[in-house]
Amino acid sequence: MEIISENRAFGGTQGVYSHRSHSTHCEMTFGLFLPEEAQHTPVPVLWYLSGLTCTHENAMVKAGAQQWAAEQGIALVFPDTSPRGDDVADDDAYDLGKGAGFYVNATQKPWAPHFRMWDYIAEDLPSMLQEEFALDMSRQSIMGHSMGGHGALTLAMGLPGRYKSVSAFAPITNPTASDWGRKQLSAYLGDDEATWAAHDATVMMRDKGFDGPLLVDTGTNDQFIDLLKPEALAAAVAERRQEGILRLQKGYDHSYFFVSTFMEEHIAFHAEALYAD
């Protein structure tokens, strides 16, 4: 692991690091905020998965999350959204290829050699973090924005018992029925739509749900709301009678102005779950 930068922030440390990933077979960069408590004892972990076109840096710089994580004594992990490098496949469109990993393990050419973001978030990066930092990996929660909200929801339901809580800002909730999903899932996973179900939060909610608290916020003025389909997830939550809070926030859009407005509430929500035991 290589230290790219470390800066003092809210009594803790905001670091940026790189490492060779066994999953994506390339160098990956991530951000990690450690609160002051991490100097003395392992601290709970809150994952933040970013959206299309983003890197580790977007939420790290724009979300205003470190202040609230410092108050709660929680570490924040900001992974990248895709593999990177000259030998990594890409596409001219912004919503496929680099910056658009969709948190799946690709099985199709040319994506399969590197686009294994599910394994990277689920296995590779957590293992490295546990070895290198003072983190309590028995207490993890996860959240994300847009494509990252999709990733947070599907990972939370796909890895039962891993995360104490899950939340999302404007998540892509029903990608098998959306242009933000069908294109990418077919490219990465192939044309057999049965393989897509494990990466659709609405389908997964109907099939298995999440054993823990759920919080989802979407802005009523979100310019992509027809692609996000918040009503599909809401219907599945109601059908399953899943514990959860799903809110439409009047006048807010898809931007980090929206995310930062509700970040304090989301971190407090996760802190309650992380410290419940």
Side-chain angles (χ1 to χ4, degrees):
M1 188 188 73
E2 178 184 349
I3 300 172
I4 296 176
S5 64
E6 289 183 330
N7 298 97
R8 185 81 165 158
F10 299 103
T13 302
Q14 176 61 64
V16 178
Y17 309 92
S18 67
H19 70 116
R20 181 74 182 180
S21 168
H22 300 297
S23 301
T24 63
H25 304 291
C26 65
E27 288 291 319
M28 297 293 291
T29 301
F30 66 94
L32 175 65
F33 172 74
L34 291 173
E36 187 174 11
E37 289 85 347
Q39 298 176 26
H40 312 291
T41 187
V43 296
V45 180
L46 178 55
W47 294 79
Y48 183 99
L49 305 186
S50 289
L52 285 168
T53 75
C54 292
T55 68
H56 69 281
E57 191 173 27
N58 291 71
M60 189 181 81
V61 173
K62 297 179 180 180
Q66 292 90 341
Q67 176 182 355
W68 313 119
E71 287 191 4
Q72 301 287 355
I74 293 171
L76 293 171
V77 185
F78 302 99
D80 202 347
T81 57
S82 78
R84 308 280 176 175
D86 293 339
D87 60 340
V88 174
D90 200 9
D91 190 90
D92 290 338
Y94 75 95
D95 58 354
L96 187 67
K98 294 178 185 178
F102 264 77
Y103 304 100
V104 303
N105 288 336
T107 59
Q108 306 299 302
K109 295 180 179 180
W111 314 107
H114 298 287
F115 280 74
R116 302 190 62 81
M117 290 302 294
W118 178 282
D119 282 353
Y120 179 68
I121 301 298
E123 305 297 339
D124 194 355
L125 187 52
S127 177
M128 197 275 295
L129 290 172
Q130 190 164 30
E131 291 178 4
E132 298 287 344
F133 299 97
L135 300 175
D136 181 357
M137 302 303 284
S138 70
R139 292 185 291 166
Q140 298 183 62
S141 290
I142 191 167
M143 63 177 171
H145 172 233
S146 194
M147 179 186 73
H150 142 80
L153 291 167
T154 55
L155 280 154
M157 287 184 277
L159 299 171
R162 171 74 63 91
Y163 305 105
K164 302 289 188 182
S165 52
V166 59
S167 76
F169 301 94
I172 301 170
T173 68
N174 194 195
T176 62
S178 167
D179 289 343
W180 268 3
R182 294 190 63 83
K183 171 185 176 179
Q184 295 81 4
L185 294 175
S186 62
Y188 294 142
L189 303 178
D191 294 332
D192 181 2
E193 296 190 16
T195 65
W196 303 0
H199 300 285
D200 186 305
T202 295
V203 174
M204 295 178 76
M205 180 60 67
R206 290 197 183 101
D207 288 348
K208 59 178 59 181
F210 175 67
D211 185 18
L214 162 76
L215 172 62
V216 177
D217 279 317
T218 304
T220 61
N221 282 11
D222 192 306
Q223 56 270 49
F224 307 112
I225 197 165
D226 290 339
L227 296 169
L228 304 176
K229 296 187 177 294
E231 66 281 359
L233 181 62
V237 166
E239 183 179 327
R240 188 167 187 85
R241 299 177 180 173
Q242 163 76 41
E243 172 189 5
I245 302 168
L246 288 81
R247 307 186 296 196
L248 291 175
Q249 300 289 1
K250 185 176 181 180
Y252 286 91
D253 58 19
H254 201 70
S255 71
Y256 267 92
F257 296 110
F258 158 64
V259 172
S260 61
T261 298
F262 298 100
M263 181 58 71
E264 179 183 8
E265 292 182 47
H266 279 244
I267 291 182
F269 165 82
H270 290 295
E272 183 176 356
L274 287 166
Y275 286 111
D277 296 334

